[in-house]
């Protein structure tokens, strides 16, 4: 049986995607995720954003049996620097070719390509989180979803909220000013993506098939002194029962330049006429509204994984960020999938900068590249990973020192999927 599987794997050819293959390649991806066709506008967007040079197809003869792509992103890391990262995406293997080494071969080729391109990081969102740990990815950010009963929950707002004016606007007409707000926020939170041309269209996608009976996309701007200081994009789904209106506000995105503008937008969402619920998905775990509500239990908060992070070049990645407290630690790193990372690395850094070089000095901490990826953006504590048995302390005090240094003042967060 093993011999047959090996011969089938040998028959599969892995190659860079050609323009005339995109439709077949994308249809293979869609089938792997259930086969429900996407709206034409969504398909067209992903077609325009696909980077052919960074996309792979696995072919069994003329049949596409595997897909994998990568976007050229710029990712905010602790300290505010925005660094190149490969956004791994559109990964699938046909059900007919599972457990034949197709995925492993695509991951191998992809990480080799990322390294050759000089990018030190690869990131992804996982449909099945258990898949990617064996390739060195660790869960680096978490996100909150909520369903707030706005008939029972009140919102306390900070001083200055009443100075913020709100107005409705057509989402497409104010895209530029909304993107300007977003761009000013990028450096403030690790995990955020600096949007390259074309990606601004993602926030305007609004296929009717995905509204589930809700309104077309709506937008409200927050303004102060003639300047746009925030925005919210959302849908409203009217619902009624014998007792009256019970509509639902489905939040797509909200960004603001200061706490008062943020509070003004959330207060507006809480108070939309004929609604009783605000649903929000994939929000930061430390977002302010959670500490302004009168009853967090009536907000049905749920936490799940967000961005998975892989250090492709340990030295370059660790010195690309800063550290909130001085760190001088030697890591013994295990990395079976990318063996060029394996061995000892001395990291020395603080809030001004860092260096990370090979060393023969005795190790202070022992861990795999997966744990470094989890801790990299500052949202997962090395000490917590140590308590889970995933980091081994070899020098007393080294784990606490590194944990404090790796932390982030604000929780890392991925603002949108890819």
């Amino acid at each position: 049986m093993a011999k047959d599987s090996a011969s089938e794997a040998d028959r599969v050819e892995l190659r860079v995607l050609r323009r005339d293959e995109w439709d077949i390649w994308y249809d293979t991806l869609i089938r792997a995720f259930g086969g429900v066709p996407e709206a034409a506008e969504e398909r067209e967007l992903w077609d325009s954003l696909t980077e052919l040079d960074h996309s792979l197809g696995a072919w069994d003869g003329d049949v596409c049996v595997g897909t994998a792509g990568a976007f050229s992103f710029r990712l905010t890391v602790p300290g505010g620097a925005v660094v190149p990262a490969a956004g791994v995406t559109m990964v699938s293997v046909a059900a007919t070719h599972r457990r034949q080494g197709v995925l492993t071969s695509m991951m191998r080729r992809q990480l080799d390509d990322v390294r050759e391109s000089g990018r030190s990081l690869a990131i992804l969102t996982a449909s099945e989180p258990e898949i990617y740990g064996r390739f060195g990815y660790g869960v680096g950010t978490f996100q909150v979803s909520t369903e707030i009963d706005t008939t029972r929950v009140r919102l306390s707002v900070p001083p200055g909220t009443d100075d913020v004016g709100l107005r409705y606007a057509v989402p497409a007409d104010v895209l530029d000013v909304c993107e300007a707000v977003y761009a000013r926020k990028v450096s403030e939170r690790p995990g955020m993506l600096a949007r390259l041309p074309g990606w601004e269209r993602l926030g305007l996608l609004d296929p009717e098939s995905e509204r589930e009976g809700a309104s077309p996309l709506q937008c409200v701007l927050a303004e102060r002194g003639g300047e746009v200081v925030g925005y919210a994009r959302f849908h409203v789904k009217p619902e009624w029962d014998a007792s009256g209106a019970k509509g639902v506000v489905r939040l797509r995105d909200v960004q603001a330049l200061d706490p008062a503008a943020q509070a003004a937008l959330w207060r507006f969402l809480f108070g939309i006429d004929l609604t009783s619920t605000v649903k929000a998905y994939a929000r930061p775990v430390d977002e302010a509204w959670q500490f302004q509500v009168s009853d967090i239990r009536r907000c049905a908060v749920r936490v799940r994984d967000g961005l998975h992070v892989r250090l492709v070049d340990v030295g370059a990645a660790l010195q690309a960020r800063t550290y909130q407290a001085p760190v001088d630690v030697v890591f013994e790193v295990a990395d079976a999938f990318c063996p060029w990372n394996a061995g000892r690395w001395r990291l020395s850094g603080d809030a001004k900068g860092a260096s990370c070089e090979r060393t023969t000095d005795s190790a202070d901490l022992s861990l795999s590249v997966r744990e470094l990826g989890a801790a990299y953006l500052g949202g997962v504590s090395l000490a917590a990973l140590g308590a889970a048995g995933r980091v081994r302390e070899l020098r007393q005090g080294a784990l606490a020192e590194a944990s404090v240094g790796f932390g982030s003042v604000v929780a890392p967060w991925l603002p949108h999927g890819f």
Side-chain angles (χ1 to χ4, degrees):
M1 188 70 180
K3 182 178 179 180
D4 292 340
S5 296
S7 64
E8 287 194 20
D10 292 341
R11 196 170 65 231
V12 174
E13 177 191 4
L14 195 64
R15 65 172 184 259
V16 174
L17 185 64
R18 301 194 306 255
R19 165 47 55 192
D20 62 356
E21 296 172 331
W22 188 89
D23 281 313
I24 296 172
W25 181 85
Y26 195 72
D27 287 342
T28 300
L29 171 71
I30 293 299
R31 182 177 58 201
F33 280 84
V36 179
E38 291 188 315
E41 61 184 291
E42 193 167 2
R43 186 181 181 97
E44 187 277 327
L45 176 60
W46 293 121
D47 187 3
S48 69
L49 292 174
T50 299
E51 299 180 26
L52 297 176
D53 290 346
H54 296 145
S55 300
L56 300 171
W59 299 83
D60 187 345
D62 295 331
V63 179
C64 185
V65 298
T67 66
F71 295 119
S72 299
F73 284 146
R74 293 182 296 144
L75 176 77
T76 301
V77 298
V82 181
V83 303
V88 176
T89 186
M90 300 183 185
V91 178
S92 73
V93 176
T96 53
H97 286 67
R98 295 177 63 221
R99 298 186 176 88
Q100 296 176 25
V102 176
L103 177 62
T104 298
S105 67
M106 292 192 298
M107 293 293 100
R108 167 79 282 133
R109 171 73 173 272
Q110 191 173 64
L111 288 172
D112 288 343
D113 291 347
V114 172
R115 184 192 186 200
E116 290 176 9
S117 72
R119 291 172 289 182
S120 61
L121 295 170
I123 56 177
L124 58 83
T125 61
S127 58
E128 298 180 271
E130 67 176 327
I131 291 175
Y132 293 98
R134 69 181 187 268
F135 302 120
Y137 288 86
V139 179
T141 75
F142 290 85
Q143 57 194 27
V144 162
S145 295
T146 184
E147 187 170 333
I148 304 170
D149 179 357
T150 53
T151 68
R152 303 288 296 273
V153 177
R154 299 180 308 280
L155 195 71
S156 298
V157 297
T161 301
D162 292 337
D163 299 330
V164 178
L166 303 176
R167 67 177 174 92
Y168 279 100
V170 177
D173 292 349
V174 293
L175 179 59
D176 289 347
V177 293
C178 292
E179 286 300 296
V181 170
Y182 176 88
R184 290 177 61 180
K185 299 294 293 181
V186 166
S187 65
E188 297 179 6
R189 188 183 288 273
M192 291 193 72
L193 301 172
R195 288 207 269 258
L196 298 174
W199 280 94
E200 73 282 354
R201 295 171 56 200
L202 185 63
L204 297 183
L205 271 183
D206 187 25
E208 186 175 356
S209 59
E210 296 184 10
R211 294 178 193 157
E212 299 179 353
S215 71
L217 186 67
Q218 301 183 35
C219 180
V220 161
L221 298 182
E223 297 175 318
R224 184 192 300 108
E227 177 190 7
V228 175
V229 292
Y231 67 89
R233 296 183 184 133
F234 57 94
H235 304 267
V236 176
K237 183 177 182 180
E239 292 187 3
W240 302 78
D241 65 14
S243 63
K246 292 189 175 181
V248 177
V249 179
R250 293 172 48 193
L251 180 63
R252 281 274 298 271
D253 188 22
V254 58
Q255 299 286 346
L257 299 181
D258 56 68
Q262 185 88 354
L265 289 164
W266 276 95
R267 184 172 64 179
F268 163 79
L269 296 167
F270 272 44
I272 293 177
D273 290 339
L274 306 179
T275 67
S276 62
T277 304
V278 170
K279 291 185 178 181
Y281 307 93
R283 302 302 306 168
V285 297
D286 60 348
E287 199 164 27
W289 67 264
Q290 296 173 87
F291 312 104
Q292 295 168 338
V293 293
S294 59
D295 190 344
I296 193 66
R297 293 185 186 178
R298 295 188 182 277
C299 297
V301 172
R302 300 175 303 282
V303 179
R304 60 169 288 176
D305 62 292
L307 194 63
H308 295 232
V309 181
R310 213 284 182 205
L311 275 60
V312 181
D313 183 329
V314 164
L318 291 181
Q319 67 185 25
R321 56 157 292 180
T322 63
Y323 299 84
Q324 65 176 358
V327 173
D328 186 12
V329 62
V330 175
F331 292 110
E332 180 78 47
V333 179
D335 192 347
F337 203 68
C338 295
W340 58 79
N341 283 324
R344 294 178 190 170
W345 296 86
R346 176 176 289 279
L347 170 66
S348 299
D350 55 24
K352 296 180 180 179
S355 65
C356 188
E357 304 290 344
R358 289 282 188 181
T359 184
T360 57
D361 294 344
S362 298
D364 301 318
L365 297 174
S366 175
L367 73 177
S368 83
V369 73
R370 183 179 179 182
E371 283 68 60
L372 278 179
Y376 183 72
L377 293 176
V380 176
S381 164
L382 283 170
L385 293 169
R390 304 283 295 277
V391 179
R392 188 158 58 98
E393 185 177 55
L394 306 176
R395 171 176 64 82
Q396 187 174 2
L399 185 56
E401 172 193 335
S403 294
V404 174
F406 267 71
S408 174
V409 174
V410 294
W413 173 59
L414 176 68
H416 58 77
F418 52 88

